[in-house]
Amino acid sequence: MSIKGPLHRLRRWIGNSARLRRGSPSAPKRPLPLPYPVAVQARDVAHEARPEGGGVEGFDTPGALAINRARLEHLAALRLPLAGKSVLDVGCGVGHLAQLFVKLGCRVVCVDAREENIASLRQRYPALTEAHVADVQQVPLSRFGRFDVVFCYGLLYHLEDPVAGLRNLFSVCDGLLLLETLVCDYSGPAVVLVDESLSANQARAGLGCRPSPSWVAMALNRVGFPHVYAPLSRPAYQDFQFAWRDNLDHWRDGHPIRCVFVAARAELPHPQLVPLLS
Ligand SMILES: C[S@@+](CC[C@H](N)C(=O)[O-])C[C@H]1O[C@@H](n2cnc3c(N)ncnc32)[C@H](O)[C@@H]1O
């Protein structure tokens, strides 16, 4: 294979760089070739506006209500021992999903990074008396107590520091972690960094992630959970219904892709749960 092409391009790149540094009038107008294959657009999150419709109304769209119904039906069908437990709902939004635990007679504490979401939760569900504003990546959840069950649906992929978030969840979890997240379709432990809007149901600072199932299983184990499971069944909603292709996609056929995980401190023999750790 000839190396003339790459060498020639490298010499031209060095020459162009030198001309640019000297401010030569003959500096080329075309951008320099990149030494790495990078495709990133500049963004100024600090000065970005929230998109239209990006307030708490986003929690009540037909799509949001449909996926909530499917998630809760799926969780109820697993028949996990949840009744009467203490539950921490992290990334609770406006409190829709916490109602499942209220109905099961649990003591429920809700946490969300956004003041407006917690204010809306208090208006909608006055019975949820323990609701706090806290960023799970920064505020130790231990200030709210310890819990039999930590419930974390729809949050992990909104974190820019997902391992820090999982460490925090583990630190207050005495029994089960119920986790639902958008994922990327990859068999290794990878995580894709993604831009998100500043809507009330998105990442706090515009930066989220799409971890692969292996990444989630590995991270859950390394932060301390000895047991990590996948339910055999999937919620009856399009985001959960897809075939694996191992190509790093996190969006397919017009929708994102999601999975449910259960992590536990103690072994959880269950006909519907498959252990993910070998
Ligand atoms: C997609 S909503 C999920 C709400 C609810 N759990 C559900 O599944 O319907 C994501 C929620 O996570 C919250 N959130 C985003 N980043 C957070 C963070 N760093 N710490 C705590 N909550 C966060 C958002 O404010 C939003 O309410």
Side-chain angles (χ1 to χ4, degrees):
M1 190 174 67
S2 162
I3 57 166
K4 189 171 169 227
L7 266 182
H8 178 69
R9 279 199 296 278
L10 182 63
R11 281 202 198 98
R12 200 175 57 194
W13 183 83
I14 292 168
N16 287 345
S17 304
R19 271 199 298 284
L20 272 182
R21 278 197 298 277
R22 289 196 303 269
S24 156
S26 65
K29 292 204 171 54
R30 277 193 301 152
L32 294 175
L34 297 175
Y36 318 122
V38 170
V40 176
Q41 290 194 337
R43 180 184 178 195
D44 183 2
V45 179
H47 296 100
E48 219 169 86
R50 170 174 281 187
E52 204 168 316
V56 292
E57 65 271 26
F59 292 101
D60 303 305
T61 62
L65 299 179
I67 191 174
N68 283 352
R69 214 167 24 247
R71 288 154 143 183
L72 294 183
E73 280 171 8
H74 175 257
L75 186 53
L78 288 179
R79 296 181 180 279
L80 293 166
L82 303 175
K85 304 285 188 193
S86 57
V87 178
L88 180 67
D89 181 354
V90 190
C92 61
V94 297
H96 288 331
L97 297 180
Q99 297 315 301
L100 171 80
F101 300 100
V102 172
K103 286 183 191 141
L104 287 172
C106 301
R107 181 179 80 82
V108 187
V109 176
C110 289
V111 171
D112 197 277
R114 288 192 170 84
E115 180 74 53
E116 66 187 303
N117 294 350
I118 294 298
S120 177
L121 173 150
R122 289 200 175 108
Q123 275 185 350
R124 295 164 188 250
Y125 303 114
L128 283 176
T129 50
E130 286 193 72
H132 308 278
V133 179
D135 185 328
V136 70
Q137 299 163 121
Q138 291 163 2
V139 178
L141 293 169
S142 54
R143 71 172 55 168
F144 309 122
R146 299 194 60 81
F147 300 87
D148 302 319
V149 177
V150 174
F151 177 75
C152 186
Y153 271 35
L155 171 66
L156 185 69
Y157 55 94
H158 292 310
L159 302 183
E160 59 187 34
D161 195 348
V163 174
L166 291 180
R167 278 193 199 289
N168 207 0
L169 300 184
F170 175 74
S171 73
V172 295
C173 180
D174 285 334
L176 291 184
L177 169 66
L178 307 174
L179 180 76
E180 183 259 19
T181 180
L182 291 185
V183 293
C184 68
D185 177 353
Y186 191 64
S187 53
V191 62
V192 180
L193 190 66
V194 295
D195 276 319
E196 295 194 352
S197 80
L198 298 181
S199 296
N201 60 3
Q202 298 292 298
R204 190 173 171 226
L207 203 52
C209 68
R210 304 294 183 259
S212 66
S214 285
W215 186 98
V216 176
M218 184 171 171
L220 285 172
N221 178 246
R222 303 313 190 251
V223 302
F225 287 103
H227 307 281
V228 181
Y229 302 93
L232 278 174
S233 58
R234 304 182 188 197
Y237 186 77
Q238 59 179 9
D239 294 9
F240 299 93
Q241 311 287 328
F242 59 93
W244 295 102
R245 290 188 197 155
D246 204 9
N247 64 357
L248 268 178
D249 274 359
H250 53 84
W251 190 273
R252 183 165 303 148
D253 301 330
H255 57 81
I257 57 176
R258 295 176 188 261
C259 291
V260 175
F261 298 83
V262 176
R265 292 240 184 204
E267 203 173 345
L268 185 64
H270 189 291
Q272 283 295 313
L273 296 180
V274 182
L276 289 177
L277 302 174
S278 52

